[in-house]
Amino acid sequence: MSKPTDTKSLSLIEAYYTNHRDELLAFASSRLGNTTEAEDIVQNTFLRLLTSDKMITPVTLPCLVYTIVRNQITDYYRRRSTFEEFEHYIKGSCPEMASTDSIFSAREIVERMERGLLRLPENCREVYRMHIYGGMKVSEISLELNEGYKSVEHRLGAARKVIRQYMKNYA
């Protein structure tokens, strides 16, 4: 995304933020029940607007703002749902560890995964980290490393297989 070059758009966004920030915060808080998350969402909404290259007018701005806020709230719940599903999977895969005190923390899982990554060749490890931690797709990784798509795809598949087996054996 590129920054809007129109100073009129920038002043319009600034005025809208000044006049409607509390209203948007109340809107997000009512749907999240978490003021801290709501503040982050409202802040991210205006950051997106400031870096957006979309045409912004006094008529389109309110709709655009509320659409962005709603989408970010949906993303928040989607991430939270994924986390809860993963936590449920971990509980279900180890019934003897059903107490909440024994649930793996995200940090422990990452540490275990990193130990599994040490079993991989460096080139597979690098591709796997770029995919998992960087959120990059195979095509992006192949461009970044200046390597063939199929080569990167093969290394990522091999890394996934090793990590999956390591994590399965470790549980």
Side-chain angles (χ1 to χ4, degrees):
M1 293 182 154
S2 61
K3 290 184 180 180
T5 56
D6 186 5
T7 56
K8 184 177 177 183
S9 292
L10 292 174
S11 62
L12 181 64
I13 293 168
E14 179 185 0
Y16 193 87
Y17 179 80
T18 304
N19 296 329
H20 299 281
R21 180 192 174 278
D22 293 336
E23 174 187 328
L24 286 168
L25 190 57
F27 174 78
S29 293
S30 71
R31 278 141 182 86
L32 293 171
N34 185 341
T35 309
T36 306
E37 284 296 328
E39 288 175 2
D40 290 345
I41 284 175
V42 169
Q43 187 68 33
N44 288 338
T45 298
F46 284 98
L47 285 174
R48 279 190 179 180
L49 285 171
L50 291 171
T51 58
S52 174
D53 57 357
K54 293 180 173 49
M55 185 175 81
I56 298 173
T57 66
V59 174
T60 61
L61 184 60
C63 296
L64 184 60
V65 166
Y66 276 93
T67 299
I68 293 171
V69 169
R70 276 194 312 274
N71 289 342
Q72 287 191 13
I73 290 170
T74 302
D75 290 345
Y76 167 79
Y77 280 118
R78 191 176 296 129
R79 284 190 308 273
R80 184 172 156 190
S81 171
T82 302
F83 175 78
E84 288 172 358
E85 284 175 21
F86 187 69
E87 184 179 55
H88 178 71
Y89 168 75
I90 291 173
K91 283 182 184 178
S93 65
C94 302
E96 67 277 1
M97 301 177 72
S99 76
T100 56
D101 295 335
S102 61
I103 301 300
F104 297 120
S105 73
R107 189 183 76 235
E108 289 172 328
I109 291 170
V110 169
E111 287 172 1
R112 289 177 185 176
M113 191 170 69
E114 283 297 323
R115 279 187 241 132
L117 281 172
L118 293 174
R119 298 168 177 261
L120 296 170
E122 180 59 37
N123 59 356
C124 290
R125 193 178 320 149
E126 180 182 20
V127 168
Y128 190 80
R129 281 192 176 124
M130 291 172 84
H131 178 70
I132 296 298
Y133 298 129
M136 297 174 75
K137 297 178 183 175
V138 174
S139 57
E140 296 169 333
I141 296 169
S142 68
L143 288 173
E144 176 87 18
L145 298 177
N146 199 22
E147 294 182 15
Y149 181 91
K150 285 292 186 183
S151 172
V152 171
E153 186 178 49
H154 175 72
R155 286 189 287 169
L156 180 58
R160 283 178 172 160
K161 188 175 181 181
V162 169
I163 296 300
R164 201 176 303 124
Q165 187 62 41
Y166 179 79
M167 295 299 280
K168 182 179 176 183
N169 291 339
Y170 202 76

